Amino acid sequence: MSLHWDVIVIGGGHAGCEAAHAAWRAGARTLLLTHKLETIGEMSCNPAMGGLGKGHLIREIDALDGLMGRITDQAAIQYRLLNRSKGPAVRGPRAQIDRGLYRAAMQAALAESEGLALEAAAVEDLIVENGRVVGVSDDRGRAWRAGAVILTTGTFLKGVIHRGNERIPAGRIGDQPSVGLSERLYSLDLRMGRLKTGTPARLEYDSIGWAQLEMQDADSSPSRFSFLADGATLPQIACGVTATNERTHRIIAENLDESAVYGGRLSGKGPRYCPSIEDKVVRFADKTSHQVFLEPEGLPGNPDGQTVYPNGVSTSVSEATQLAFLRTLPGLEAVRVRRYGYAIEYDYVDPTSLHPTLELRALPSLYLAGQINGTTGYEEAGAQGLIAGLNAARAVAGQDGIVLGRDQAYIGVMIDDLVTRGVTEPYRMFTSRAEFRLSLRADNADQRLTPLAMQVGLVGSARRQAFDVKAGILTRARRLMTETELTPNAANRLGLKVNQDGQRRSLSQLLTYPGASLEIFAATWPEIHTWSPEVAEQIEIDAAYAGYLGRQAADADALRRDEALVIPDDLDFSIVGGLSHEVREKLSSVRPRTLGQAGRIEGVTPGALTALLAHVRRGRSDAAA
């Protein structure tokens, strides 16, 4: 059997869902192939979305009319805004999720997308003709042809689960790994390697002594993820907080040989920022306690509501050792385990092998997104999937790819980091990775990205209408705040202490004065009362960040001037004078698109950039002559 599609997506995880939906929104006839239709949208690890940096990615996915933000709001059972006491740039929306509700809502969203096909198949090979990928085949000999293929294989490429002395070939618990596809990629002489991640045991809710635990409630005012969010939220739950102790650490230390890493049975490197409990005990030997959050995986009464995720004790030791150390934690003295934790090792492709569009340089028409590119996390995967889906659809339609800049989006920061610097451990997004984080805030993702999404045809009518209404209100609000100016006497009559210097100040400037608020201004300008909380928040942030944002905009303009110098695709770096052998090798390996990207490659010095700049400009001059 052979069928032809514009875009085929392999994998039904977070990257695959966003890739398929984005390609479909961009007008491509799209097929999503995955091992099991019933596991589409599965949250394989923790039951949470968002956080610091990650929450920004979800808001950006939503601003581009992706699914993750909307589905999160349909399944969120505990909203919390992290870093609430800090500046808006580093606040991170986070939510506990009902796993079953999330999975069902994602499957429904894809099923309702007329023209987007879903089919169960274990893809084992790529169909390559004339140096391009033109389709895929499965383990039953079925073939599907396409203009572009997107691989979002997660942890399935030769995945192996490690638990104590057990080694279980699996993509995740209960699912077979993808061996043939992994071998196919190795046969292409791609730069590949092994990474690992892990997950903790799952606990029975009724076996936990909740009464003796500190409880962490949801925020009273939820920070929703989608800019389209309206209506009531789900009932909100509390999470428990406990901690490891010296007894816990002693049990783990005495059984380190059972650990996949410390027992020498696993070579892949794990995520530094999400270490296993074994890593914590070894690397932080001076600490006698580590906090553990007990997170219900669903609402009471729902199928997942009786399962609890102990966030902070990912492990790969044996089942007996897991049960022993878990029962040393306060509240878990009589805990029962529903499923024991494990580590999983899997293949990935060095992301420096990719164009910034996420197309593989060595094999045109093949796009990669998610953990196959060395990242970790639902949010990072979903963001890559959206960009890969959009660009695959555009390529099939004969259009140029879309590349977001580091000054435009956290998505742009992440992809640039990946394709320029590569990874030595699973990549996780943090606000600290973004040079322009004052302007790349979670609250303004729609203003930054929805106009672009509308321009490239990614946005549906509901999103377009909602954005146009909000943009119109914001424009009028900003005009009122910047064009309305008061004398010092007029400001004093509002209760603001302003120097009697004769200088008129705008409402936006006055909003930064002690005691100033929109409520004070609303007594004179009542239209302020009509602003939504989101619009009011934007106006307050505009005022607080005005000076900083101006300087950051100038820095971004300077960056764009560097980025504007395109390096020819076929440039032979061996003939560029003034470059060391090491720099030539790195430039030839990464193949940067621009001078700015070249400058972010580790080891490329300012002197090397100057030499490269001169060579490219000289080449342009010679061509013009």
Side-chain angles (χ1 to χ4, degrees):
M1 180 179 70
S2 179
L3 299 173
H4 193 280
W5 301 84
D6 294 328
V7 175
I8 292 176
V9 178
I10 311 304
H14 303 285
C17 291
E18 294 293 349
H21 202 259
W24 172 78
R25 294 200 309 280
R29 292 182 62 250
T30 304
L31 169 67
L32 188 153
L33 296 173
T34 187
H35 282 143
K36 298 177 182 177
L37 296 181
E38 60 268 28
T39 59
I40 288 175
E42 185 72 65
M43 301 181 76
S44 301
C45 194
N46 63 314
M49 283 289 184
L52 303 179
K54 291 172 173 283
H56 291 70
L57 288 174
I58 298 181
R59 288 278 181 83
E60 290 181 353
I61 291 170
D62 185 72
L64 294 166
D65 214 16
L67 293 172
M68 188 173 280
R70 279 176 280 174
I71 304 302
T72 294
D73 283 332
Q74 292 180 51
I77 56 178
Q78 191 206 59
Y79 283 102
R80 293 189 67 237
L81 183 63
L82 307 186
N83 277 355
R84 183 181 290 274
S85 63
K86 297 185 179 180
V90 294
R91 293 174 188 161
R94 184 183 189 273
Q96 285 294 120
I97 303 296
D98 184 304
R99 286 185 188 277
L101 293 178
Y102 188 96
R103 183 175 58 246
M106 180 62 78
Q107 291 176 12
L110 295 177
E112 293 163 2
S113 303
E114 187 175 351
L116 169 57
L118 312 173
E119 190 156 346
V123 171
E124 288 292 306
D125 202 1
L126 303 171
I127 302 172
V128 180
E129 295 177 359
N130 301 317
R132 302 182 70 86
V133 170
V134 296
V136 298
S137 60
D138 71 359
D139 59 352
R140 296 165 55 189
R142 296 181 295 178
W144 293 267
R145 299 181 74 85
V149 173
I150 306 172
L151 296 184
T152 68
T153 51
T155 59
F156 277 68
L157 290 181
K158 281 191 180 175
V160 177
I161 282 176
H162 296 257
R163 183 193 289 141
N165 291 319
E166 294 180 282
R167 284 171 57 86
I168 307 166
R172 62 181 165 223
I173 199 77
D175 287 312
Q176 292 299 308
S178 180
V179 176
L181 194 54
S182 179
E183 291 177 347
R184 175 59 150 159
L185 293 174
Y186 272 107
S187 75
L188 297 170
D189 292 326
L190 299 175
R191 292 189 300 275
M192 297 179 65
R194 300 283 278 176
L195 292 173
K196 75 106 174 170
T197 188
T199 192
R202 303 302 195 272
L203 314 178
E204 290 196 17
Y205 187 97
D206 290 339
S207 70
I208 295 172
W210 296 100
Q212 63 179 290
L213 298 176
E214 172 193 347
M215 300 301 290
Q216 186 178 73
D217 293 322
D219 288 348
S220 57
S221 178
S223 297
R224 306 283 281 270
F225 279 88
S226 177
F227 292 99
L228 296 181
D230 57 9
T233 61
L234 292 173
Q236 299 290 285
I237 66 164
C239 293
V241 184
T242 186
T244 64
N245 51 59
E246 291 180 344
R247 288 176 57 217
T248 318
H249 297 186
R250 184 168 61 253
I251 291 171
I252 292 166
E254 290 172 351
N255 292 278
L256 273 179
D257 61 320
E258 297 179 356
S259 164
V261 174
Y262 294 99
R265 291 177 293 279
L266 187 150
S267 59
K269 192 165 185 180
R272 186 191 335 169
Y273 303 104
C274 188
S276 67
I277 188 60
E278 297 97 282
D279 283 332
K280 293 178 182 178
V281 168
V282 172
R283 288 165 46 191
F284 310 107
D286 57 320
K287 291 197 67 174
T288 58
S289 179
H290 296 282
Q291 201 167 49
V292 178
F293 293 90
L294 301 177
E295 302 172 342
E297 297 192 348
L299 288 172
N302 284 1
D304 293 293
Q306 280 298 309
T307 303
V308 174
Y309 182 93
N311 194 336
V313 287
S314 170
T315 184
S316 62
V317 296
S318 70
E319 293 182 3
T321 301
Q322 289 187 45
L323 183 60
F325 83 66
L326 284 168
R327 286 184 169 176
T328 65
L329 275 63
L332 303 186
E333 293 87 352
V335 75
R336 295 187 300 273
V337 174
R338 289 200 155 194
R339 191 185 81 196
Y340 285 94
Y342 59 85
I344 185 166
E345 188 178 28
Y346 56 94
D347 288 335
Y348 79 102
V349 176
D350 182 346
T352 62
S353 305
L354 302 170
H355 291 295
T357 58
L358 298 181
E359 183 181 30
L360 195 61
R361 289 204 307 267
L363 199 57
S365 301
L366 181 63
Y367 293 75
L368 309 182
Q371 284 176 287
I372 192 173
N373 291 338
T375 61
T376 183
Y378 308 143
E379 304 85 354
E380 290 87 347
Q384 292 171 73
L386 190 153
I387 297 300
L390 169 62
N391 284 328
R394 289 179 65 83
V396 170
Q399 300 170 317
D400 291 337
I402 299 297
V403 177
L404 297 176
R406 296 181 71 91
D407 61 323
Q408 287 180 284
Y410 272 83
I411 297 175
V413 172
M414 174 179 63
I415 293 176
D416 184 69
D417 282 349
L418 293 173
V419 303
T420 302
R421 299 168 180 164
V423 299
T424 57
E425 62 184 351
Y427 178 98
R428 178 177 178 177
M429 178 50 70
F430 292 103
T431 54
S432 58
R433 295 189 187 273
E435 309 93 304
F436 303 107
R437 55 185 170 274
L438 292 185
S439 53
L440 303 184
R441 304 185 309 275
D443 60 82
N444 69 356
D446 58 337
Q447 297 166 63
R448 291 185 279 114
L449 296 176
T450 301
L452 170 65
M454 289 171 19
Q455 180 183 334
V456 301
L458 267 186
V459 171
S461 58
R463 174 85 51 180
R464 182 183 295 273
Q465 182 178 357
F467 178 79
D468 286 344
V469 169
K470 180 179 176 181
I473 295 171
L474 260 176
T475 297
R476 292 189 294 274
R478 284 171 171 152
R479 185 180 299 126
L480 171 68
M481 296 299 292
T482 57
E483 295 181 1
T484 304
E485 296 182 333
L486 301 184
T487 64
N489 284 335
N492 288 340
R493 285 195 293 273
L494 292 177
L496 304 179
K497 294 182 179 179
V498 177
N499 290 338
Q500 295 296 315
D501 53 10
Q503 181 179 342
R504 301 177 68 90
R505 294 169 176 83
S506 69
L507 294 183
S508 185
Q509 291 172 313
L510 290 169
L511 191 55
T512 64
Y513 277 61
S517 69
L518 290 177
E519 189 63 30
I520 290 175
F521 296 151
T524 306
W525 295 275
E527 68 186 82
I528 292 175
H529 282 304
T530 68
W531 296 349
S532 68
E534 292 76 20
V535 168
E537 179 186 40
Q538 289 292 292
I539 294 301
E540 290 169 342
I541 292 172
D542 285 350
Y545 277 13
Y548 302 106
L549 290 173
R551 289 195 292 272
Q552 195 159 97
D555 291 341
D557 287 341
L559 172 69
R560 277 192 291 271
R561 285 194 293 272
D562 280 345
E563 293 285 357
L565 184 72
V566 176
I567 299 172
D569 289 337
D570 59 353
L571 177 61
D572 182 357
F573 291 103
S574 67
I575 66 172
V576 179
L579 301 182
S580 68
H581 178 70
E582 178 188 8
V583 168
R584 286 195 176 99
E585 281 191 339
K586 289 191 173 184
L587 291 171
S588 299
S589 173
V590 175
R591 301 297 314 178
R593 293 175 65 253
T594 65
L595 188 71
Q597 186 186 356
R600 292 188 289 276
I601 299 173
E602 185 179 4
V604 176
T605 64
L609 284 178
T610 300
L612 182 59
L613 172 64
H615 183 91
V616 172
R617 284 181 172 167
R618 187 163 56 248
R620 288 183 173 181
S621 298
D622 292 345

